[in-house]
Amino acid sequence: EACASAAWIHMDYAGHKAIPQLRQAGITTPISLDAGNHVPDLNLSEITLYAPTKAALLRTMHTDEVEDAIRLALAAGPRIVAVTMGEQGSLAGVREESGEVRLFSAPSFPVPRMGSTLGAGDVFHGAFCYSVLNGMELEEALKFSNAMAALNCTRLGARGGIATAEEARRLIEQDEVNILILSDRGVTREEAAIPSLLAVSSLHHYLIREGLRMRVSLVLETGEAREIHHFALLIGYGVS
């Protein structure tokens, strides 16, 4: 009765064998499958949301391209496939009623104080199910789930850092800054400007070390650049 009246049934790779029994009992509740590990001979036809790791998806679909693997998985039955990719973030695909497949991606969030990655995938999947049930668009759902997983990594233990929805939203808002502007407009006799090449390259390499470079664009406002060679050097040193 609990399964029949539920809005959603969430299973892990060990529990998927119960799916045929549920369907034989006439229970049509949508099912999501957390496939963190490869499941041999997995039947996706009765699964609504398939949520594997990238490694498990590629192995199951017998391909090396994650987008191709998502399309193959969607063709096998699920309406949504959401893939966790660690530091690369997450990728999801949805099969529309017309048969069209749309893909969405979201980058991971930096974890300034790493506690443990244990349980990050489980937290992602729980947050993603919450997002889908609450009608979030897939791109928003991926961001929210990535934020929840990142916050869980700040503490020790599989459930040590499970955050609230509000904490995840604050992290997303903080991450919305994607343009950094450097300027020497405020130069005075007392405050000389840092040479633009030095300033740009220092910030460029700092962002690389912190794993943030692909998240932001660098814009430079300067009176130094006057020739084509100057602009070429600035671009080479990291200016977007």
Side-chain angles (χ1 to χ4, degrees), residues 126-156:
F128 195 81
C129 287
Y130 166 87
S131 303
V132 171
L133 284 170
N134 281 275
M136 290 188 193
E137 295 292 333
L138 271 194
E139 187 173 7
E140 181 185 1
L142 289 176
K143 284 184 180 181
F144 178 80
S145 304
N146 286 351
M148 290 291 290
L151 289 168
N152 191 66
C153 290
T154 61
R155 305 280 182 84
L156 293 175

Side-chain angles (χ1 to χ4, degrees), residues 203-216:
L203 180 56
H204 173 71
H205 285 286
Y206 168 79
L207 293 170
I208 290 174
R209 289 194 303 272
E210 295 297 316
L212 301 173
R213 185 61 186 92
M214 299 303 292
R215 292 174 174 269
V216 298

